[in-house]
Amino acid sequence: MALLLIAVALLVAGCHEPTQGAQDVVVRGPYLQQTGMTSTYVVWQTSRPLAGAIHWGEESTDEHVELAPDALTMQAVQLRGLSPGTSYVYRVSAGDETTRPFRFTTAKQGAVPFTFGAIGDFGTGSTPEYRNAALLEGEAPDTLLTLGDNAYPLGLKREYPAVVFTPFDPLMRRITVWPTLGNHDYGNEGESFRNTAQAYLDTFVLPDRPGRERYYSFRYANAEFLAIDSEVTSFAPGSPQYRWIDRTLGRSGACWKIPYFHHPVHAEYVHPTLMDVAKQADLQRWLVPVFERHGVKLVLTGHEHNYVRTKRLLHGRPDPQGVVYIISGGGGGALEALPAHATPSTAVRGRFFHHLLISVAGRRAEVRAVDTAGRVRDRVRLAC
């Protein structure tokens, strides 16, 4: 099938800033975005405005060449007409430089087994973050979610090279990272309230609709994932984001419907600010009934720098048919103390750096919390 080339001009605000007098080199990427069953974006940045090309094929990079004719410092080229669950090899050329080849695989289709990772509150450049990234590379998930706070402390463009690209380059060259927004991505921390996520929006090439990249959904095999903005964009009943959540969950035929966002629904503790107290109350009052109504079984969040898994909850009480809420905020940010006693809704909790590895096989799934020594610290099996 024919490939449709779409060159997208992006601002360079979220990425590495080129140095003066730099040679014609690729200074960021290539990395993949929005990899679906039949398409993907290949994204790269150069030291100065340059045209470029993607050399690609199923067996060799010599099979096809797709040009990016416009001279830009950042290119996002969409390849369409690919086949589901198929491996492709690619490399990028710009100026006199050609990158080495990398491989990616398009999203799987139907109720077939797959594995995805999740990591939250990671973007600090810390040793635990780098360790989590290395373990994820070895575990080879099919795709990766982030649960917010991708870049500390204020989500600025100068923070992205060390805290996002350097640790996650190997993964981002072969799989898509599907991020969601946290308070640090908006520059909201302590006395600072920038309320702008421009570096995030410029770095990641996300679906423009329905939420102008701030909230979106994607399908992988028999799972529907919803990235929700719980920091700035309203999710109150009647708001565009609320209506989209309700509509997307209601229309989806996927067995697994997995919302993921930054702020916890059921936290062991809440940061001592009125904003966080109100946020948790709003999530419980407004979104939990929507999740329960549409058969959601797993919700992933971050924000609290520890690990917490709730019991299966329905209407706020333990129930075998309920929803499991996981706080996975141990990606790399400084760990936070847990209170002496767990809340009644908590099944398992711990204070350790970690990421999640989730295996889905038809109607069954297994969630593992993996610490930075590679040990499985918690495991739960679910059914949709």
Side-chain angles (χ1 to χ4, degrees):
M1 298 176 66
L3 290 170
L4 175 63
L5 175 68
I6 303 176
V8 181
L10 301 172
L11 297 173
V12 296
C15 304
H16 177 82
E17 292 185 9
T19 57
Q20 294 295 322
Q23 299 297 313
D24 294 345
V25 293
V26 176
V27 295
R28 183 64 60 226
Y31 58 100
L32 303 171
Q33 294 280 262
Q34 296 189 53
T35 304
M37 291 182 291
T38 60
S39 66
T40 192
Y41 279 91
V42 179
V43 186
W44 70 95
Q45 184 189 352
T46 53
S47 56
R48 65 181 180 85
L50 290 170
I54 301 175
H55 310 257
W56 67 276
E58 289 191 41
E59 301 297 332
S60 168
T61 60
D62 296 330
E63 295 175 31
H64 307 279
V65 177
E66 297 295 333
L67 299 177
D70 295 327
L72 305 171
T73 54
M74 190 166 179
Q75 301 276 3
V77 177
Q78 188 182 31
L79 303 179
R80 290 183 176 177
L82 309 178
S83 299
T86 301
S87 175
Y88 295 90
V89 61
Y90 75 100
R91 58 185 170 87
V92 165
S93 63
D96 296 327
E97 182 185 356
T98 299
T99 68
R100 67 184 179 87
F102 307 101
R103 274 202 172 270
F104 73 91
T105 301
T106 48
K108 298 175 182 178
Q109 186 176 27
V112 296
F114 73 98
T115 301
F116 69 95
I119 187 169
D121 301 83
F122 60 93
T124 61
S126 67
T127 298
E129 179 197 355
Y130 276 67
R131 181 60 182 158
N132 274 319
L135 286 168
L136 281 162
E137 171 65 13
E139 291 157 351
D142 294 296
T143 196
L144 177 66
L145 316 180
T146 81
L147 308 177
D149 286 358
N150 302 272
Y152 284 82
L154 296 174
L156 301 173
K157 63 179 180 179
R158 64 174 179 266
E159 296 163 1
Y160 270 80
V163 306
V164 175
F165 285 106
T166 300
F168 288 98
D169 262 345
L171 271 172
M172 295 176 74
R173 286 168 177 156
R174 69 171 187 80
I175 68 171
T176 283
V177 172
W178 297 92
T180 195
L181 285 154
N183 56 292
H184 285 274
D185 301 304
Y186 273 108
N188 297 346
E189 171 65 5
E191 299 299 319
S192 173
F193 282 90
R194 283 192 301 112
N195 261 12
T196 176
Q198 198 58 54
Y200 171 99
L201 298 172
D202 291 340
T203 298
F204 298 109
V205 181
L206 304 173
D208 186 58
R209 294 182 180 180
R212 301 182 66 83
E213 299 188 84
R214 297 174 192 271
Y215 56 90
Y216 60 89
S217 64
F218 71 95
R219 181 74 178 255
Y220 195 104
N222 64 337
E224 186 89 34
F225 295 90
L226 282 75
I228 295 170
D229 179 9
S230 63
E231 174 63 16
V232 168
T233 307
S234 175
F235 52 86
S239 67
Q241 185 171 213
Y242 178 92
R243 293 198 302 269
W244 166 77
I245 294 167
D246 190 25
R247 182 174 62 251
T248 302
L249 290 174
R251 290 177 178 176
S252 176
C255 185
W256 291 99
K257 304 172 184 180
I258 304 176
Y260 65 104
F261 45 93
H262 189 56
H263 294 85
V265 178
H266 297 281
E268 281 290 280
Y269 63 92
V270 178
H271 283 297
T273 66
L274 291 176
M275 181 176 293
D276 276 3
V277 172
K279 187 85 69 177
Q280 180 172 247
D282 290 343
L283 288 165
Q284 293 178 1
R285 177 176 48 173
W286 296 335
L287 292 191
V288 166
V290 179
F291 297 158
E292 293 177 350
R293 183 165 66 248
H294 294 302
V296 169
K297 297 300 179 185
L298 177 64
V299 175
L300 303 177
T301 65
H303 195 48
E304 308 288 357
H305 294 188
N306 46 51
Y307 175 79
V308 180
R309 171 170 62 84
T310 70
K311 301 168 183 175
R312 291 170 172 85
L313 300 176
L314 193 63
H315 309 307
R317 298 183 296 274
D319 189 294
Q321 302 304 312
V323 184
V324 170
Y325 299 86
I326 292 179
I327 301 172
S328 181
L335 296 175
E336 297 168 337
L338 287 164
H341 302 288
T343 64
S345 64
T346 296
V348 176
R349 66 178 188 160
R351 184 175 181 267
F352 54 91
F353 293 108
H354 68 279
H355 61 276
L356 302 180
L357 197 63
I358 303 170
S359 301
V360 178
R363 300 182 63 85
R364 305 289 175 180
E366 181 181 75
V367 183
R368 287 169 283 169
V370 182
D371 70 17
T372 50
R375 297 171 298 191
V376 176
R377 299 288 290 270
D378 183 39
R379 185 192 311 260
V380 63
R381 293 180 174 89
L382 303 172
C384 66

